[in-house]
Amino acid sequence: MGANFADVHCPSCGAPARYDIVSQQYLCQFCGGRVGIKEAIAQKQGFREFRQQKIRESAGQYHLMRGTCTGCGAEIVFPEGEAMSNCAFCGRTLVRKDYIASRELPELIIPFRITEEEAKSRVADWCDQHPGKSEAQHVREHLDGLKGFYLPYELVRGPVTSKVCRMDGGKPYTCSGYVDNVFVSCSKQLDNRLLDGMEPFELDELQAFDFAYAAGQRIKAADVEENALIARVNTEVSEDYAPTVRKTLETKAVDVTTHSESVLRMPVLLPVYYICDGETMAAVNGQTGKVSVRAEKVSHYYFIPWWMKAIISTLLISGISYGAFRFFGMNPGESIYLTGMLGLIWIIITLCAYSDTVHNGFRVESERKIYSSRGGPFRRVDSQLIQDRQERKKPVTPPVFFENIEGRMLPVMLRFTSPLRIAQTAAISLTALFLPVILALFINGFDFQRLELGGSAVWFCIAVPVVPIYILKFARIDLYEHPWIYLLNPDGTKKRYRKKRDIKISRDTVMTLLGFTFIPPGCLAVWFGILSFIVMVYLTAFGF
């Protein structure tokens, strides 16, 4: 049964239709039928109304209670005869009252596969495997507090769109993807990253909800507001897409902002065993047995301003340079002099290189690490739990990038630092650095013995700091701002797209160039520079 609840069906033949990111619609693999995004949402809305009616009809057979925590506000649903005195999420007192809103219960559920004792055994195994962690000791001390809950989630499935860019600036890009059966927590008291650490769940055991599943079980009521839930969906999708975006944009510092207005959402209960006592937090997947433990200490990540990066890199390079000079026998005075000269050049280079990240200031981000158990899900074979060797990973459909091509948003593949582009940048840089030498060789017939490099000393003094600045800043920006674009065809092939560039020289540009060439005093500086360069080439070719 599983994912059939969330399937979109072809209106022609009734078969499940798969979402095609390139064409931005659902396609039937059997008859070729097409289902638009709005049609798919309307189709699932009808199913949800049917399920809600069935739940309301069966609600009268069960009388459930709801406990509201006076501390964290968590709402727990439990059978009428069960006494609950403490909140399992913060330890405070629960106030009992009738659970009268059956509409709060979801439409789908994955039943518990492992028992509470088996879940405790899984946690104990994790503690045995990590004896050096303080979390293992404290979790073991609170193992009796492990309780099972059906936690509220929403099953999310459908197309999403993301805006992505580098954190240090640059052109933003658009990518579209498909969220395939992602679960998003609807509990505001619980650590989402801890719950993510025990995923994924297996959808083949997804069932239509019935109140019989609630008998004898605790149910955590959903308490996340609609806007916060949408934000969670967007954040989770952004985190899932980040690895692909980092690989495409060729940097780890990426910003991904996702919009998920077109996804299908269905409320579902998932089985979880949970420990929460102060800084001690652990969760066990009630279906697969995967353990997730939150670190007790907070990890801090520091981000520094752009100018500080330039200073730090200059100090490091200067220190390495000084050590190298001393290692090869240079005296301290000369080593300090040369190190200072190189440091001056390097600080100019790094300040220019990092100047496009001026919006990056000093800040500190904090988070707790999440430790997860290894191995595949546990399955019951002849009343015994057996673990699969192959670990299950969360399914993520890679996003597809889109570019505005001649007024239309078309699916593309982006390439930035290809070997050919790197070779072109290197060739331009070397040519600029040794331009007088190259021209001198042509003049003297490639007579290397007559070549006098001292004739280009002034040029080298200018080019040595300028060329690295060009490579680190302007050439890099050109690569990132103007990627090679490959159009993706429906049959899976790709073709390089070359934008037509119309070179137009305005009258103002022509007049400006003529002014610098023939109108003093600007022309004097221009002609002095040209004559100086010619002299440098001659002296380099034939000597002094």
mmCIF file of all heavy atoms in Angstrom, residues 133-176:
data_model
loop_
_atom_site.group_PDB
_atom_site.id
_atom_site.type_symbol
_atom_site.label_atom_id
_atom_site.label_comp_id
_atom_site.label_asym_id
_atom_site.label_seq_id
_atom_site.Cartn_x
_atom_site.Cartn_y
_atom_site.Cartn_z
ATOM 1 N N LYS A 133 31.622 8.798 25.094
ATOM 2 C CA LYS A 133 30.765 9.983 25.009
ATOM 3 C C LYS A 133 29.974 10.154 26.300
ATOM 4 O O LYS A 133 29.398 9.192 26.825
ATOM 5 C CB LYS A 133 29.815 9.886 23.817
ATOM 6 C CG LYS A 133 30.511 9.918 22.466
ATOM 7 C CD LYS A 133 29.489 9.939 21.343
ATOM 8 C CE LYS A 133 30.176 9.941 19.987
ATOM 9 N NZ LYS A 133 30.994 11.158 19.772
ATOM 10 N N SER A 134 29.941 11.386 26.788
ATOM 11 C CA SER A 134 29.143 11.655 27.993
ATOM 12 C C SER A 134 27.663 11.427 27.719
ATOM 13 O O SER A 134 26.900 11.047 28.634
ATOM 14 C CB SER A 134 29.378 13.097 28.461
ATOM 15 O OG SER A 134 29.008 14.023 27.439
ATOM 16 N N GLU A 135 27.242 11.655 26.459
ATOM 17 C CA GLU A 135 25.836 11.421 26.101
ATOM 18 C C GLU A 135 25.447 9.965 26.333
ATOM 19 O O GLU A 135 24.321 9.676 26.768
ATOM 20 C CB GLU A 135 25.598 11.790 24.640
ATOM 21 C CG GLU A 135 25.682 13.269 24.319
ATOM 22 C CD GLU A 135 27.090 13.754 24.094
ATOM 23 O OE1 GLU A 135 28.008 12.907 24.142
ATOM 24 O OE2 GLU A 135 27.270 14.965 23.871
ATOM 25 N N ALA A 136 26.360 9.032 26.050
ATOM 26 C CA ALA A 136 26.061 7.612 26.235
ATOM 27 C C ALA A 136 25.802 7.299 27.708
ATOM 28 O O ALA A 136 24.866 6.551 28.049
ATOM 29 C CB ALA A 136 27.211 6.763 25.696
ATOM 30 N N GLN A 137 26.626 7.865 28.588
ATOM 31 C CA GLN A 137 26.431 7.625 30.016
ATOM 32 C C GLN A 137 25.100 8.189 30.496
ATOM 33 O O GLN A 137 24.358 7.512 31.217
ATOM 34 C CB GLN A 137 27.590 8.261 30.790
ATOM 35 C CG GLN A 137 27.438 8.152 32.301
ATOM 36 C CD GLN A 137 28.559 8.872 33.045
ATOM 37 O OE1 GLN A 137 29.543 9.304 32.434
ATOM 38 N NE2 GLN A 137 28.402 9.018 34.351
ATOM 39 N N HIS A 138 24.776 9.414 30.110
ATOM 40 C CA HIS A 138 23.551 10.047 30.595
ATOM 41 C C HIS A 138 22.303 9.423 29.982
ATOM 42 O O HIS A 138 21.267 9.306 30.650
ATOM 43 C CB HIS A 138 23.601 11.543 30.313
ATOM 44 C CG HIS A 138 24.699 12.243 31.044
ATOM 45 N ND1 HIS A 138 25.291 13.401 30.598
ATOM 46 C CD2 HIS A 138 25.325 11.928 32.217
ATOM 47 C CE1 HIS A 138 26.227 13.776 31.448
ATOM 48 N NE2 HIS A 138 26.267 12.905 32.430
ATOM 49 N N VAL A 139 22.367 9.041 28.715
ATOM 50 C CA VAL A 139 21.217 8.375 28.095
ATOM 51 C C VAL A 139 20.947 7.045 28.786
ATOM 52 O O VAL A 139 19.791 6.681 29.041
ATOM 53 C CB VAL A 139 21.464 8.169 26.583
ATOM 54 C CG1 VAL A 139 20.429 7.191 26.000
ATOM 55 C CG2 VAL A 139 21.383 9.492 25.836
ATOM 56 N N ARG A 140 22.004 6.314 29.118
ATOM 57 C CA ARG A 140 21.816 5.035 29.813
ATOM 58 C C ARG A 140 21.165 5.250 31.182
ATOM 59 O O ARG A 140 20.321 4.454 31.612
ATOM 60 C CB ARG A 140 23.158 4.334 29.973
ATOM 61 C CG ARG A 140 23.024 2.867 30.404
ATOM 62 C CD ARG A 140 24.392 2.280 30.723
ATOM 63 N NE ARG A 140 25.256 2.262 29.561
ATOM 64 C CZ ARG A 140 25.250 1.284 28.655
ATOM 65 N NH1 ARG A 140 24.417 0.259 28.797
ATOM 66 N NH2 ARG A 140 26.076 1.314 27.635
ATOM 67 N N GLU A 141 21.550 6.345 31.864
ATOM 68 C CA GLU A 141 20.958 6.632 33.170
ATOM 69 C C GLU A 141 19.468 6.931 33.069
ATOM 70 O O GLU A 141 18.715 6.690 34.024
ATOM 71 C CB GLU A 141 21.690 7.824 33.813
ATOM 72 C CG GLU A 141 23.135 7.525 34.190
ATOM 73 C CD GLU A 141 23.865 8.761 34.671
ATOM 74 O OE1 GLU A 141 23.247 9.862 34.616
ATOM 75 O OE2 GLU A 141 25.026 8.650 35.103
ATOM 76 N N HIS A 142 19.019 7.477 31.925
ATOM 77 C CA HIS A 142 17.615 7.846 31.748
ATOM 78 C C HIS A 142 16.865 6.851 30.867
ATOM 79 O O HIS A 142 15.786 7.161 30.364
ATOM 80 C CB HIS A 142 17.502 9.247 31.129
ATOM 81 C CG HIS A 142 18.024 10.338 32.005
ATOM 82 N ND1 HIS A 142 19.340 10.737 32.008
ATOM 83 C CD2 HIS A 142 17.388 11.129 32.923
ATOM 84 C CE1 HIS A 142 19.507 11.715 32.880
ATOM 85 N NE2 HIS A 142 18.344 11.986 33.445
ATOM 86 N N LEU A 143 17.415 5.655 30.722
ATOM 87 C CA LEU A 143 16.813 4.689 29.798
ATOM 88 C C LEU A 143 15.408 4.278 30.214
ATOM 89 O O LEU A 143 14.553 3.993 29.358
ATOM 90 C CB LEU A 143 17.720 3.450 29.700
ATOM 91 C CG LEU A 143 17.502 2.536 28.490
ATOM 92 C CD1 LEU A 143 17.616 3.328 27.195
ATOM 93 C CD2 LEU A 143 18.508 1.392 28.500
ATOM 94 N N ASP A 144 15.127 4.277 31.511
ATOM 95 C CA ASP A 144 13.781 3.914 31.968
ATOM 96 C C ASP A 144 12.745 4.954 31.555
ATOM 97 O O ASP A 144 11.542 4.673 31.556
ATOM 98 C CB ASP A 144 13.770 3.754 33.500
ATOM 99 C CG ASP A 144 14.545 2.522 33.959
ATOM 100 O OD1 ASP A 144 14.730 1.611 33.125
ATOM 101 O OD2 ASP A 144 14.991 2.496 35.129
ATOM 102 N N GLY A 145 13.204 6.157 31.220
ATOM 103 C CA GLY A 145 12.276 7.201 30.796
ATOM 104 C C GLY A 145 11.915 7.135 29.326
ATOM 105 O O GLY A 145 11.160 8.000 28.842
ATOM 106 N N LEU A 146 12.412 6.139 28.603
ATOM 107 C CA LEU A 146 12.091 6.001 27.173
ATOM 108 C C LEU A 146 10.626 5.616 27.017
ATOM 109 O O LEU A 146 10.181 4.586 27.528
ATOM 110 C CB LEU A 146 12.986 4.944 26.537
ATOM 111 C CG LEU A 146 12.854 4.780 25.029
ATOM 112 C CD1 LEU A 146 13.487 5.960 24.302
ATOM 113 C CD2 LEU A 146 13.511 3.485 24.559
ATOM 114 N N LYS A 147 9.854 6.432 26.331
ATOM 115 C CA LYS A 147 8.436 6.192 26.126
ATOM 116 C C LYS A 147 8.105 6.255 24.633
ATOM 117 O O LYS A 147 8.730 6.984 23.887
ATOM 118 C CB LYS A 147 7.591 7.233 26.877
ATOM 119 C CG LYS A 147 7.831 7.271 28.380
ATOM 120 C CD LYS A 147 7.399 5.980 29.056
ATOM 121 C CE LYS A 147 7.597 6.061 30.563
ATOM 122 N NZ LYS A 147 7.236 4.779 31.243
ATOM 123 N N GLY A 148 7.093 5.493 24.264
ATOM 124 C CA GLY A 148 6.668 5.467 22.872
ATOM 125 C C GLY A 148 5.533 6.442 22.609
ATOM 126 O O GLY A 148 4.597 6.555 23.409
ATOM 127 N N PHE A 149 5.622 7.149 21.484
ATOM 128 C CA PHE A 149 4.586 8.101 21.072
ATOM 129 C C PHE A 149 4.344 7.973 19.576
ATOM 130 O O PHE A 149 5.257 7.673 18.811
ATOM 131 C CB PHE A 149 5.010 9.550 21.372
ATOM 132 C CG PHE A 149 5.072 9.907 22.819
ATOM 133 C CD1 PHE A 149 6.226 9.687 23.549
ATOM 134 C CD2 PHE A 149 3.972 10.462 23.453
ATOM 135 C CE1 PHE A 149 6.293 10.017 24.884
ATOM 136 C CE2 PHE A 149 4.032 10.802 24.795
ATOM 137 C CZ PHE A 149 5.191 10.578 25.518
ATOM 138 N N TYR A 150 3.113 8.237 19.203
ATOM 139 C CA TYR A 150 2.840 8.537 17.806
ATOM 140 C C TYR A 150 2.995 10.047 17.663
ATOM 141 O O TYR A 150 2.204 10.818 18.215
ATOM 142 C CB TYR A 150 1.431 8.109 17.416
ATOM 143 C CG TYR A 150 1.307 6.645 17.057
ATOM 144 C CD1 TYR A 150 0.492 5.788 17.798
ATOM 145 C CD2 TYR A 150 2.008 6.127 15.978
ATOM 146 C CE1 TYR A 150 0.370 4.447 17.467
ATOM 147 C CE2 TYR A 150 1.892 4.791 15.634
ATOM 148 C CZ TYR A 150 1.080 3.957 16.391
ATOM 149 O OH TYR A 150 0.973 2.632 16.054
ATOM 150 N N LEU A 151 4.023 10.467 16.943
ATOM 151 C CA LEU A 151 4.280 11.890 16.782
ATOM 152 C C LEU A 151 3.625 12.414 15.506
ATOM 153 O O LEU A 151 3.575 11.715 14.482
ATOM 154 C CB LEU A 151 5.787 12.159 16.718
ATOM 155 C CG LEU A 151 6.592 11.823 17.976
ATOM 156 C CD1 LEU A 151 8.035 12.264 17.798
ATOM 157 C CD2 LEU A 151 5.988 12.468 19.218
ATOM 158 N N PRO A 152 3.124 13.653 15.546
ATOM 159 C CA PRO A 152 2.451 14.216 14.375
ATOM 160 C C PRO A 152 3.455 14.714 13.328
ATOM 161 O O PRO A 152 4.389 15.458 13.634
ATOM 162 C CB PRO A 152 1.653 15.381 14.962
ATOM 163 C CG PRO A 152 2.474 15.818 16.141
ATOM 164 C CD PRO A 152 3.106 14.573 16.701
ATOM 165 N N TYR A 153 3.258 14.305 12.104
ATOM 166 C CA TYR A 153 4.062 14.745 10.964
ATOM 167 C C TYR A 153 3.122 15.120 9.829
ATOM 168 O O TYR A 153 1.914 14.858 9.885
ATOM 169 C CB TYR A 153 4.989 13.625 10.478
ATOM 170 C CG TYR A 153 6.248 13.414 11.284
ATOM 171 C CD1 TYR A 153 6.214 12.769 12.522
ATOM 172 C CD2 TYR A 153 7.476 13.829 10.797
ATOM 173 C CE1 TYR A 153 7.377 12.550 13.246
ATOM 174 C CE2 TYR A 153 8.645 13.621 11.514
ATOM 175 C CZ TYR A 153 8.590 12.974 12.729
ATOM 176 O OH TYR A 153 9.743 12.762 13.452
ATOM 177 N N GLU A 154 3.683 15.716 8.824
ATOM 178 C CA GLU A 154 2.974 15.868 7.559
ATOM 179 C C GLU A 154 3.797 15.202 6.466
ATOM 180 O O GLU A 154 5.013 15.411 6.372
ATOM 181 C CB GLU A 154 2.733 17.340 7.211
ATOM 182 C CG GLU A 154 1.564 17.940 7.952
ATOM 183 C CD GLU A 154 0.840 19.012 7.154
ATOM 184 O OE1 GLU A 154 1.339 19.382 6.070
ATOM 185 O OE2 GLU A 154 -0.226 19.480 7.613
ATOM 186 N N LEU A 155 3.130 14.377 5.672
ATOM 187 C CA LEU A 155 3.757 13.753 4.515
ATOM 188 C C LEU A 155 3.699 14.759 3.371
ATOM 189 O O LEU A 155 2.618 15.185 2.960
ATOM 190 C CB LEU A 155 3.021 12.464 4.150
ATOM 191 C CG LEU A 155 3.486 11.755 2.874
ATOM 192 C CD1 LEU A 155 4.931 11.316 2.998
ATOM 193 C CD2 LEU A 155 2.594 10.550 2.582
ATOM 194 N N VAL A 156 4.863 15.155 2.884
ATOM 195 C CA VAL A 156 4.965 16.197 1.862
ATOM 196 C C VAL A 156 5.451 15.573 0.566
ATOM 197 O O VAL A 156 6.440 14.825 0.550
ATOM 198 C CB VAL A 156 5.931 17.316 2.307
ATOM 199 C CG1 VAL A 156 6.030 18.396 1.240
ATOM 200 C CG2 VAL A 156 5.466 17.916 3.624
ATOM 201 N N ARG A 157 4.755 15.900 -0.507
ATOM 202 C CA ARG A 157 5.125 15.364 -1.815
ATOM 203 C C ARG A 157 4.698 16.344 -2.895
ATOM 204 O O ARG A 157 3.553 16.794 -2.905
ATOM 205 C CB ARG A 157 4.442 14.010 -2.039
ATOM 206 C CG ARG A 157 5.000 13.223 -3.209
ATOM 207 C CD ARG A 157 4.246 11.923 -3.377
ATOM 208 N NE ARG A 157 4.941 10.992 -4.237
ATOM 209 C CZ ARG A 157 4.394 9.900 -4.767
ATOM 210 N NH1 ARG A 157 3.136 9.603 -4.491
ATOM 211 N NH2 ARG A 157 5.096 9.105 -5.537
ATOM 212 N N GLY A 158 5.614 16.674 -3.800
ATOM 213 C CA GLY A 158 5.239 17.573 -4.881
ATOM 214 C C GLY A 158 6.389 18.446 -5.345
ATOM 215 O O GLY A 158 7.513 18.375 -4.832
ATOM 216 N N PRO A 159 6.134 19.309 -6.320
ATOM 217 C CA PRO A 159 7.177 20.162 -6.893
ATOM 218 C C PRO A 159 7.504 21.350 -6.005
ATOM 219 O O PRO A 159 6.630 21.914 -5.352
ATOM 220 C CB PRO A 159 6.567 20.617 -8.222
ATOM 221 C CG PRO A 159 5.090 20.575 -7.983
ATOM 222 C CD PRO A 159 4.840 19.436 -7.044
ATOM 223 N N VAL A 160 8.769 21.729 -5.991
ATOM 224 C CA VAL A 160 9.230 22.896 -5.239
ATOM 225 C C VAL A 160 10.178 23.705 -6.125
ATOM 226 O O VAL A 160 10.732 23.198 -7.093
ATOM 227 C CB VAL A 160 9.969 22.492 -3.940
ATOM 228 C CG1 VAL A 160 9.022 21.806 -2.976
ATOM 229 C CG2 VAL A 160 11.159 21.606 -4.245
ATOM 230 N N THR A 161 10.340 24.975 -5.767
ATOM 231 C CA THR A 161 11.250 25.865 -6.488
ATOM 232 C C THR A 161 12.168 26.536 -5.482
ATOM 233 O O THR A 161 11.724 26.949 -4.407
ATOM 234 C CB THR A 161 10.480 26.934 -7.279
ATOM 235 O OG1 THR A 161 9.618 26.287 -8.222
ATOM 236 C CG2 THR A 161 11.430 27.846 -8.032
ATOM 237 N N SER A 162 13.452 26.644 -5.819
ATOM 238 C CA SER A 162 14.432 27.240 -4.917
ATOM 239 C C SER A 162 15.226 28.328 -5.632
ATOM 240 O O SER A 162 15.523 28.216 -6.823
ATOM 241 C CB SER A 162 15.405 26.176 -4.381
ATOM 242 O OG SER A 162 14.719 25.177 -3.657
ATOM 243 N N LYS A 163 15.535 29.393 -4.884
ATOM 244 C CA LYS A 163 16.459 30.416 -5.328
ATOM 245 C C LYS A 163 17.786 30.153 -4.624
ATOM 246 O O LYS A 163 17.826 30.047 -3.394
ATOM 247 C CB LYS A 163 15.954 31.814 -4.980
ATOM 248 C CG LYS A 163 14.713 32.237 -5.738
ATOM 249 C CD LYS A 163 15.012 32.492 -7.216
ATOM 250 C CE LYS A 163 13.783 33.014 -7.941
ATOM 251 N NZ LYS A 163 14.064 33.244 -9.384
ATOM 252 N N VAL A 164 18.861 30.039 -5.390
ATOM 253 C CA VAL A 164 20.151 29.690 -4.813
ATOM 254 C C VAL A 164 21.203 30.701 -5.269
ATOM 255 O O VAL A 164 21.112 31.257 -6.366
ATOM 256 C CB VAL A 164 20.587 28.259 -5.202
ATOM 257 C CG1 VAL A 164 19.529 27.259 -4.794
ATOM 258 C CG2 VAL A 164 20.846 28.156 -6.706
ATOM 259 N N CYS A 165 22.193 30.914 -4.407
ATOM 260 C CA CYS A 165 23.305 31.801 -4.754
ATOM 261 C C CYS A 165 24.442 31.540 -3.781
ATOM 262 O O CYS A 165 24.264 30.864 -2.761
ATOM 263 C CB CYS A 165 22.887 33.263 -4.722
ATOM 264 S SG CYS A 165 22.391 33.852 -3.091
ATOM 265 N N ARG A 166 25.603 32.076 -4.103
ATOM 266 C CA ARG A 166 26.736 31.998 -3.198
ATOM 267 C C ARG A 166 26.560 33.011 -2.074
ATOM 268 O O ARG A 166 26.068 34.107 -2.290
ATOM 269 C CB ARG A 166 28.041 32.295 -3.955
ATOM 270 C CG ARG A 166 28.421 31.211 -4.936
ATOM 271 C CD ARG A 166 29.673 31.600 -5.706
ATOM 272 N NE ARG A 166 30.098 30.521 -6.571
ATOM 273 C CZ ARG A 166 29.537 30.233 -7.735
ATOM 274 N NH1 ARG A 166 28.543 30.984 -8.183
ATOM 275 N NH2 ARG A 166 29.962 29.223 -8.461
ATOM 276 N N MET A 167 26.991 32.634 -0.876
ATOM 277 C CA MET A 167 26.872 33.547 0.259
ATOM 278 C C MET A 167 27.764 34.772 0.101
ATOM 279 O O MET A 167 27.492 35.820 0.684
ATOM 280 C CB MET A 167 27.218 32.816 1.563
ATOM 281 C CG MET A 167 26.169 31.820 2.009
ATOM 282 S SD MET A 167 26.588 31.097 3.596
ATOM 283 C CE MET A 167 25.164 30.034 3.868
ATOM 284 N N ASP A 168 28.856 34.633 -0.665
ATOM 285 C CA ASP A 168 29.765 35.771 -0.828
ATOM 286 C C ASP A 168 29.372 36.646 -2.000
ATOM 287 O O ASP A 168 30.161 37.438 -2.501
ATOM 288 C CB ASP A 168 31.207 35.282 -0.995
ATOM 289 C CG ASP A 168 31.358 34.319 -2.172
ATOM 290 O OD1 ASP A 168 30.355 34.060 -2.852
ATOM 291 O OD2 ASP A 168 32.482 33.843 -2.403
ATOM 292 N N GLY A 169 28.143 36.524 -2.447
ATOM 293 C CA GLY A 169 27.642 37.377 -3.519
ATOM 294 C C GLY A 169 27.632 36.657 -4.852
ATOM 295 O O GLY A 169 28.060 35.516 -4.987
ATOM 296 N N GLY A 170 27.112 37.344 -5.857
ATOM 297 C CA GLY A 170 27.056 36.752 -7.182
ATOM 298 C C GLY A 170 25.634 36.615 -7.673
ATOM 299 O O GLY A 170 24.661 36.907 -6.969
ATOM 300 N N LYS A 171 25.517 36.161 -8.889
ATOM 301 C CA LYS A 171 24.227 36.036 -9.540
ATOM 302 C C LYS A 171 23.376 34.944 -8.889
ATOM 303 O O LYS A 171 23.864 33.857 -8.622
ATOM 304 C CB LYS A 171 24.443 35.716 -11.022
ATOM 305 C CG LYS A 171 23.186 35.447 -11.800
ATOM 306 C CD LYS A 171 23.504 35.043 -13.224
ATOM 307 C CE LYS A 171 22.239 34.646 -13.982
ATOM 308 N NZ LYS A 171 22.543 34.213 -15.365
ATOM 309 N N PRO A 172 22.077 35.206 -8.627
ATOM 310 C CA PRO A 172 21.195 34.150 -8.115
ATOM 311 C C PRO A 172 20.717 33.246 -9.248
ATOM 312 O O PRO A 172 20.580 33.682 -10.397
ATOM 313 C CB PRO A 172 20.031 34.931 -7.499
ATOM 314 C CG PRO A 172 19.985 36.201 -8.282
ATOM 315 C CD PRO A 172 21.416 36.522 -8.662
ATOM 316 N N TYR A 173 20.452 31.996 -8.913
ATOM 317 C CA TYR A 173 19.971 31.029 -9.892
ATOM 318 C C TYR A 173 18.682 30.393 -9.376
ATOM 319 O O TYR A 173 18.397 30.397 -8.176
ATOM 320 C CB TYR A 173 21.022 29.948 -10.156
ATOM 321 C CG TYR A 173 22.288 30.479 -10.787
ATOM 322 C CD1 TYR A 173 23.365 30.853 -9.990
ATOM 323 C CD2 TYR A 173 22.399 30.627 -12.169
ATOM 324 C CE1 TYR A 173 24.533 31.358 -10.560
ATOM 325 C CE2 TYR A 173 23.554 31.118 -12.740
ATOM 326 C CZ TYR A 173 24.621 31.476 -11.934
ATOM 327 O OH TYR A 173 25.762 31.982 -12.500
ATOM 328 N N THR A 174 17.915 29.847 -10.305
ATOM 329 C CA THR A 174 16.648 29.187 -9.973
ATOM 330 C C THR A 174 16.771 27.699 -10.264
ATOM 331 O O THR A 174 17.271 27.302 -11.324
ATOM 332 C CB THR A 174 15.494 29.767 -10.805
ATOM 333 O OG1 THR A 174 15.357 31.163 -10.521
ATOM 334 C CG2 THR A 174 14.190 29.068 -10.481
ATOM 335 N N CYS A 175 16.331 26.878 -9.323
ATOM 336 C CA CYS A 175 16.283 25.438 -9.565
ATOM 337 C C CYS A 175 14.950 24.897 -9.064
ATOM 338 O O CYS A 175 14.371 25.417 -8.103
ATOM 339 C CB CYS A 175 17.455 24.705 -8.909
ATOM 340 S SG CYS A 175 17.506 24.774 -7.109
ATOM 341 N N SER A 176 14.453 23.891 -9.741
ATOM 342 C CA SER A 176 13.189 23.248 -9.385
ATOM 343 C C SER A 176 13.448 21.773 -9.111
ATOM 344 O O SER A 176 14.335 21.162 -9.713
ATOM 345 C CB SER A 176 12.165 23.401 -10.516
ATOM 346 O OG SER A 176 11.819 24.751 -10.706
#
